[in-house]
Amino acid sequence: MCNAKCWLISGSVIGGLLAILGGILIPVGDIIIKGKIDKEAVIEKGTIAFENWEKTGSPVYRQFWIYNVLNPEEIINGSKPVLQQKGPYTYLVRHLPKSNITQNNNDTVSYLQPNSAEFQRHMSIGSDNDSYTVLNLAVAAAPTLFPIPGLINTIIKRTNSSLFQVRSVKELIWGYEDPFLKGLLPDTTTGVFYPYEGTADGVYTVYNGKDDISKVAMIDRYKGERTLSYWKDNYCDMLNGTDAASFPPFVKKDKLYFFPSEICRSIYGLFEKSYKLKGIELYRFVLPEMALASPTINPDNQCFCTDQLLSRNCTAAGVLDLRACQGGKPIFLSLPHYLYASDFFLDQVTGLKPNVEEHQTYIDVEPLTGFTMHFAKRLQVNLMFQKTDKIEIMANLQSDYLFPVLWLNETATITDESVNEFKNSVTVPTTALGIVQIVFMCAGAVVFLACSITLCVTRGKKR
């Protein structure tokens, strides 16, 4: 029979083996987890990634704040604009599944993202039929699109138009028939996001990750092209990153590139912090001030400087000229309230107060899978028009204007149902494996030390 010494030796051996097994399970566990993630992150039917990719599991809302113009007549006569933001007016967007999904060869998949908007009265301050005094989009853009001052003056008078008008929220955002355009265009409808309903963004072609999981969801082509054509520069026209709905797994605390088609360029977020949302650890990446800095501060932005006058010889920051990708319309994007923009943009109007917490753009990503679980994409739409003696209602303006029309916050947060599904499929198995590793190592170490110490003490007494 095995005596006490025998049991102590056996206990030491077993404890040591358990501790070693726990240590071995760490790299083995990492391999198992990586294999599971590599399999489930591929964009093909049957994977977790495909289910979340085809149709977002979280409702995406777009909130709008309209800039109500308080002194329209005074502006025309030379005063500084006084603006008052009104909102939010909220719409459910990006709630339709991707369409025309096509697997190409073995490594890419193509799709369209349908556009649709459903008004959410319970998330808004009023009906989207609420009306405000806003910039007349057609009249303000006319001198840029139709540089024929005599004709513009004639149509303005004939249609009793002005530089400002009263429009509903719905009309301003999604479109309305403008009498001014009847003398210029066959399509007389205009709006900040017209046309939108019934249209689609894309075609996107992205890597599905089957050949290389580090490229999953990365954009290969947009509208059939590997580069953009808006900036006439190889660097600025690059398509970098994903569409921001997800990223390749095993995200590092560094930099994430993504392509929001609304801004007609690729951009990036820098790691800011990690935190927990509904029990899931996320990495937050924020759009940094440097990404929108003037070329004098960030030389990489030189090719985004397309208007020497507006940018004051490329020394201005925070504003992006979208005329090339908006059919010549004088649309310029910035962050809300001119956050990170040069002071002279903010000084042109009264009523704007930039605030990082309210106006910053960020993306919160689960680092193991690369899934985006929370984000806030915040943009301000501005229209440029210039003082000119050749058009009566623009002859007495205080200066050339980059005029804020509205700003938006497109946001989504993972739902409780999706959180539970994610935890059951990813978090629980990963946590369980980690617990097993720790239990084996700790239990083995305790048993090994206890038996070894007892054995040594027993031997010492016998001596």
Side-chain angles (χ1 to χ4, degrees):
M1 290 182 64
C2 189
N3 56 22
K5 180 181 178 181
C6 176
W7 282 114
L8 289 173
I9 293 173
S10 299
S12 297
V13 172
I14 293 172
L17 290 175
L18 282 174
I20 292 171
L21 179 60
I24 292 174
L25 278 177
I26 293 176
V28 172
D30 290 344
I31 292 172
I32 293 173
I33 292 170
K34 185 178 186 305
K36 176 71 173 176
I37 296 298
D38 287 353
K39 179 181 178 182
E40 292 298 333
V42 172
I43 301 175
E44 67 175 354
K45 287 187 176 180
T47 65
I48 298 173
F50 185 85
E51 293 176 8
N52 286 277
W53 174 83
E54 183 181 26
K55 183 179 180 181
T56 176
S58 307
V60 180
Y61 297 100
R62 189 176 286 187
Q63 302 170 298
F64 292 95
W65 283 263
I66 309 301
Y67 285 121
N68 183 36
V69 182
L70 300 181
N71 61 336
E73 293 302 321
E74 288 84 352
I75 297 171
I76 294 173
N77 291 316
S79 296
K80 180 187 288 191
V82 179
L83 306 180
Q84 179 188 48
Q85 73 170 25
K86 293 287 188 177
Y89 292 91
T90 306
Y91 291 82
L92 175 64
V93 297
R94 298 294 192 202
H95 58 97
L96 298 176
K98 292 177 172 65
S99 63
N100 291 26
I101 298 174
T102 306
Q103 292 288 346
N104 307 308
N105 301 322
N106 194 50
D107 63 343
T108 63
V109 56
S110 298
Y111 65 93
L112 287 170
Q113 178 62 63
N115 293 322
S116 180
E118 297 179 3
F119 183 63
Q120 307 294 299
R121 176 64 184 85
H122 66 288
M123 300 174 68
S124 307
I125 64 164
S127 165
D128 61 353
N129 288 315
D130 291 350
S131 295
Y132 299 107
T133 300
V134 296
L135 185 68
N136 188 323
L137 304 177
V139 171
T144 300
L145 297 174
F146 312 100
I148 311 172
L151 177 62
I152 293 173
N153 261 326
T154 300
I155 298 176
I156 287 174
K157 292 177 180 178
R158 190 175 68 205
T159 58
N160 197 29
S161 298
S162 184
L163 192 56
F164 301 95
Q165 61 180 343
V166 176
R167 288 290 172 185
S168 70
V169 172
K170 184 194 304 183
E171 289 176 322
L172 178 66
I173 297 172
W174 308 118
Y176 61 92
E177 287 194 12
D178 195 305
F180 172 79
L181 293 176
K182 290 183 179 179
L184 294 170
L185 296 172
D187 184 359
T188 61
T189 305
T190 187
V192 176
F193 288 96
Y194 172 81
Y196 186 84
E197 190 72 33
T199 65
D201 184 23
V203 174
Y204 287 89
T205 301
V206 303
Y207 291 100
N208 57 25
K210 292 181 71 173
D211 290 343
D212 184 356
I213 199 63
S214 68
K215 295 169 65 177
V216 67
M218 302 285 280
I219 298 172
D220 176 47
R221 298 172 186 266
Y222 179 66
K223 295 184 177 180
E225 302 295 334
R226 281 202 162 93
T227 63
L228 303 173
S229 59
Y230 309 132
W231 309 105
K232 310 303 179 187
D233 180 90
N234 291 336
Y235 176 81
C236 285
D237 279 326
M238 284 194 300
L239 281 168
N240 285 333
T242 74
D243 65 358
S246 64
F247 296 87
F250 311 109
V251 176
K252 294 180 173 59
K253 297 177 179 179
D254 187 15
K255 181 186 289 187
L256 281 186
Y257 281 94
F258 52 100
F259 171 66
S261 61
E262 297 93 340
I263 72 171
C264 307
R265 61 162 288 190
S266 298
I267 204 161
Y268 62 91
L270 291 181
F271 175 79
E272 182 187 62
K273 65 178 181 179
S274 61
Y275 78 104
K276 283 194 174 182
L277 175 68
K278 300 182 179 182
I280 300 175
E281 184 181 13
L282 304 180
Y283 288 177
R284 171 161 293 184
F285 294 84
V286 301
L287 184 67
E289 184 174 359
M290 184 61 72
L292 302 172
S294 74
T296 57
I297 303 298
N298 183 358
D300 288 342
N301 286 343
Q302 182 65 50
C303 43
F304 293 118
C305 178
T306 56
D307 190 298
Q308 301 290 320
L309 180 63
L310 179 70
S311 66
R312 300 193 176 182
N313 293 323
C314 295
T315 61
V319 172
L320 191 64
D321 181 358
L322 297 192
R323 285 176 293 183
C325 71
Q326 292 291 332
K329 297 175 184 177
I331 296 174
F332 290 73
L333 280 190
S334 67
L335 294 182
H337 288 237
Y338 290 129
L339 178 67
Y340 301 149
S342 296
D343 289 341
F344 75 88
F345 291 118
L346 193 60
D347 291 340
Q348 285 185 328
V349 297
T350 299
L352 274 60
K353 295 179 180 179
N355 179 287
V356 172
E357 186 175 340
E358 293 182 12
H359 304 140
Q360 186 181 58
T361 287
Y362 60 83
I363 299 175
D364 296 340
V365 180
E366 197 285 314
L368 199 61
T369 60
F371 296 163
T372 298
M373 297 195 171
H374 179 49
F375 71 89
K377 179 172 64 180
R378 293 156 173 167
L379 299 170
Q380 179 171 292
V381 178
N382 313 282
L383 204 66
M384 184 189 73
F385 56 92
Q386 296 177 312
K387 177 179 180 178
T388 172
D389 295 335
K390 298 178 180 179
I391 300 175
E392 290 181 18
I393 60 171
M394 296 183 181
N396 297 319
L397 295 176
Q398 186 184 65
S399 64
D400 297 339
Y401 278 109
L402 193 62
F403 203 96
V405 179
L406 57 79
W407 71 273
L408 64 90
N409 175 27
E410 187 169 296
T411 184
T413 303
I414 187 170
T415 62
D416 292 340
E417 181 181 358
S418 296
V419 164
N420 292 333
E421 291 177 0
F422 180 84
K423 287 181 177 179
N424 290 334
S425 58
V426 178
T427 306
V428 171
T430 303
T431 303
L433 184 58
I435 291 173
V436 170
Q437 293 169 354
I438 294 172
V439 168
F440 274 28
M441 289 183 67
C442 292
V446 168
V447 171
F448 174 79
L449 289 173
C451 291
S452 297
I453 292 171
T454 303
L455 188 62
C456 290
V457 170
T458 302
R459 285 179 176 177
K461 286 182 176 180
K462 286 183 178 180
R463 287 177 184 154

